[in-house]
């Protein structure tokens, strides 16, 4: 049976076959300096980059490389999963990410990850084309939706000679993320899982479609992914959630009551109705600022009704409307900007009367509409807090943490 020194936080460090495997040595040493007990699992390919002896000497434990030749246990993949407080995959190749996503356990490392029942933190590193490949991105998104955590790769000069996203995150960033997850997992399980219990939240998500005629509309690029993620995490943490969703192709999160709308007027009506019985509103939706003055009752034909001009009028501002009605309720708005991010967010905070604005620069590839990561700043009367680029699940929980702070401070 695998055992550890009493009181130490225990990390299973999974090392896969990439050139960045040598960085896993630095991660191990940094975790040890932080008081962690670290055991290492390696793939066969990983051993071609860094030797088993290195990790065995530094960790002072046998290294798990084979399911059938491990003296400490006849079922090492299960025992190390029971032992670990956290699994950390550094570096994570596209191949191993795909295996984890598909639930494949065909060696010691993937079998241990399949048996894992504590948090898993993945730090990818690979060629930029491999990272940007739709298959890899789909696997990463799937794992995020299932609760896996990621430290996103950086952009820079790669070992293969390319420049782009795919470079392993800095050691300090990986270790910081691991320590944060460890601290969270060491909280009371009931407190961690149900800290929003009893709170009623309204969340809006997605775009709105403003009809020009029965087949055409004005819209924006919002996908609703962040709003749906916030709703899913809020429900997981015990909140009673009403999700007012614009026209998006996303499944309803478990435990969430969903109201589907199309236009800005419909979203306003649904949001005002739900707002009467909630404690806080988190308005992630990218509501259209303008709508056509008139909607034709038939498809306009370009031969005799060309769309050379569309007269528009402003839609009702949902954020300002709910903020004016909030009394002791909390209202959080979002600002998607392409320039002067913080200045525009601060102006929006004052103009709309919200409690906080979550600002993100949608001109960045890592925080644009539809991305699996986001880089946001929290702007409130007490100041500005800039977050690093994080997976959507992490951003969602950071927003909910802020929401809970504001609710407690009422």
């Amino acid at each position: 049976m695998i055992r550890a020194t009493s009181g130490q936080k225990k990390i299973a460090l999974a090392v896969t076959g990439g050139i960045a495997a040598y960085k896993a040595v630095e991660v191990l040493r940094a975790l040890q300096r932080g008081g962690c007990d670290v055991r290492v699992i390696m793939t066969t390919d990983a051993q071609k980059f860094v030797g088993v002896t290195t990790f065995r000497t530094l960790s002072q434990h046998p290294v798990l490389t084979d399911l059938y030749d491990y003296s400490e246990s006849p079922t090492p993949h299960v025992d190390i999963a029971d032992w670990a407080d956290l699994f950390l995959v550094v570096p994570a190749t596209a191949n191993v990410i795909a295996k984890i996503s598909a639930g494949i356990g065909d060696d010691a490392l993937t079998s241990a990850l399949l048996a894992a029942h504590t948090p898993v933190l993945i730090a990818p590193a690979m060629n930029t084309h491999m990272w940007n490949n739709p298959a890899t991105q789909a696997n990463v998104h799937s794992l995020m939706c299932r609760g896996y955590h990621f430290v996103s790769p950086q952009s820079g000069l790669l070992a293969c000679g390319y420049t782009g996203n795919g470079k392993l995150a800095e050691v300090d960033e990986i270790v910081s993320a691991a320590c944060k997850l460890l601290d969270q997992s060491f909280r009371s399980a009931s407190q961690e899982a149900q800290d929003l219990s009893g709170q009623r939240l309204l969340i809006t998500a997605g775009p709105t479609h403003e009809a020009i005629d029965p087949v055409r509309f004005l819209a924006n690029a919002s996908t609703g992914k962040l709003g749906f993620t916030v709703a899913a995490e809020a429900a997981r943490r015990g909140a009673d959630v009403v999700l007012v969703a614009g026209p998006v192709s996303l499944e309803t999160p478990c435990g969430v009551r969903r109201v589907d709308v199309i236009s800005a007027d419909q979203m306003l009506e649904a949001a005002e109705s739900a707002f009467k019985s909630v404690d806080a509103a988190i308005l992630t939706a990218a509501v259209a600022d303008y709508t056509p003055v008139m909607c034709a009752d038939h498809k306009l034909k370009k031969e005799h009704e060309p769309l050379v001009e569309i007269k528009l009028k402003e839609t009702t501002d949902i954020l300002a409307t709910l903020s004016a009605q909030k009394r002791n309720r909390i209202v959080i708005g979002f600002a998607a900007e392409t320039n002067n991010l913080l200045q525009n967010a601060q102006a929006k905070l004052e103009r709309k009367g919200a409690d906080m604005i979550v600002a993100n620069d949608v001109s960045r590839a890592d925080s644009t509409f539809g991305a699996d990561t986001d880089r946001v700043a929290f702007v409130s009367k007490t100041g500005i807090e800039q977050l690093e680029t994080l997976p959507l699940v992490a951003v969602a929980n950071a927003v909910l943490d802020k929401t809970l702070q504001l609710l407690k401070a009422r």
Side-chain angles (χ1 to χ4, degrees):
M1 183 65 67
I2 298 172
R3 295 184 174 84
T5 305
S6 176
Q8 281 187 296
K9 294 178 180 179
K10 299 159 293 202
I11 297 179
L13 178 61
V15 185
T16 75
I19 190 67
Y22 76 95
K23 287 285 187 178
V25 177
E26 299 178 39
V27 171
L28 184 153
R29 297 301 277 169
L31 290 169
Q32 288 177 325
R33 288 193 294 272
C36 297
D37 187 12
V38 183
R39 286 178 176 263
V40 179
I41 316 168
M42 299 181 72
T43 63
T44 299
D45 286 346
Q47 296 169 55
K48 297 178 181 179
F49 293 93
V50 181
V52 171
T53 302
T54 299
F55 284 110
R56 182 174 63 236
T57 302
L58 295 177
S59 70
Q60 298 183 359
H61 292 296
V63 176
L64 176 56
T65 59
D66 191 291
L67 290 173
Y68 309 104
D69 186 22
Y70 191 75
S71 61
E72 290 202 356
S73 170
T75 55
H77 61 301
V78 175
D79 285 350
I80 200 165
D82 291 340
W83 170 85
D85 297 312
L86 173 73
F87 271 81
L88 175 57
V89 188
V90 181
T93 60
N95 183 55
V96 166
I97 290 172
K99 286 184 178 182
I100 302 170
S101 178
I104 294 173
D106 61 355
D107 60 10
L109 186 144
T110 54
S111 295
L113 286 168
L114 194 58
H117 48 85
T118 51
V120 178
L121 178 62
I122 300 172
M126 64 195 74
N127 169 268
T128 187
H129 296 306
M130 297 174 73
W131 172 248
N132 291 321
N133 188 289
T136 302
Q137 290 302 307
N139 289 330
V140 170
H141 177 65
S142 176
L143 289 171
M144 286 180 176
C145 290
R146 284 182 261 162
Y148 287 76
H149 304 269
F150 280 79
V151 183
S152 298
Q154 298 178 336
S155 180
L157 179 62
L158 308 178
C160 58
Y162 280 92
T163 298
N165 288 332
K167 183 179 180 181
L168 185 72
E170 294 295 333
V171 170
D172 288 347
E173 184 180 356
I174 296 170
V175 173
S176 176
C179 291
K180 183 176 180 180
L181 279 175
L182 280 169
D183 289 341
Q184 290 175 353
S185 67
F186 269 71
R187 297 178 193 171
S188 164
S190 60
Q191 178 184 2
E192 169 68 12
Q194 298 295 312
D195 59 354
L196 287 171
S197 179
Q199 303 292 346
R200 298 161 298 174
L201 303 183
L202 160 65
I203 298 170
T204 66
T208 64
H209 289 179
E210 308 304 319
I212 298 169
D213 64 21
V215 299
R216 299 181 180 93
F217 55 82
L218 302 177
N220 58 57
S222 174
T223 63
K225 287 169 66 173
L226 178 57
F228 273 64
T229 305
V230 174
E233 290 301 299
R236 182 186 64 81
R237 291 169 62 166
D240 180 7
V241 181
V242 177
L243 174 63
V244 178
V248 296
S249 300
L250 296 171
E251 293 185 5
T252 305
C254 294
V256 170
R257 289 179 291 149
R258 177 173 177 173
V259 180
D260 285 310
V261 299
I262 297 176
S263 68
D265 282 347
Q266 291 173 352
M267 183 168 283
L268 171 65
E269 181 180 357
E272 281 194 296
S273 176
F275 191 58
K276 296 174 182 177
S277 58
V278 301
D279 301 295
I282 304 174
L283 308 180
T284 78
V287 184
D289 294 319
Y290 297 93
T291 189
V293 172
M294 294 184 61
C295 173
D297 60 4
H298 61 282
K299 179 183 177 181
L300 299 174
K301 305 298 290 184
K302 64 181 179 181
E303 291 82 4
H304 56 276
E305 297 173 298
L307 289 173
V308 294
E309 180 182 65
I310 303 174
K311 292 184 178 180
L312 303 175
K313 62 181 180 180
E314 288 190 10
T315 59
T316 303
D317 192 313
I318 297 176
L319 176 58
T321 299
L322 296 191
S323 294
Q325 301 172 7
K326 67 181 181 179
R327 296 189 294 276
N328 69 330
R329 289 168 289 186
I330 301 302
V331 177
I332 295 173
F334 279 62
E337 303 288 348
T338 58
N339 61 297
N340 299 324
L341 177 68
L342 298 179
Q343 299 94 315
N344 286 333
Q346 288 174 312
K348 187 171 187 176
L349 179 73
E350 294 297 326
R351 190 170 66 251
K352 304 297 178 71
D355 295 283
M356 185 174 78
I357 296 294
V358 181
N360 67 311
D361 184 349
V362 293
S363 69
R364 295 171 55 105
D366 60 2
S367 61
T368 192
F369 293 121
D372 292 317
T373 59
D374 207 352
R375 180 181 173 86
V376 304
F378 298 140
V379 180
S380 66
K381 292 180 180 179
T382 60
I384 297 172
E385 180 182 349
Q386 177 68 62
L387 274 61
E388 296 300 319
T389 301
L390 298 169
L392 292 187
V393 170
V395 174
N397 278 292
V399 171
L400 292 170
D401 289 344
K402 283 293 185 181
T403 304
L404 187 57
Q405 290 176 16
L406 290 167
L407 285 167
K408 288 180 178 179
R410 285 184 301 180

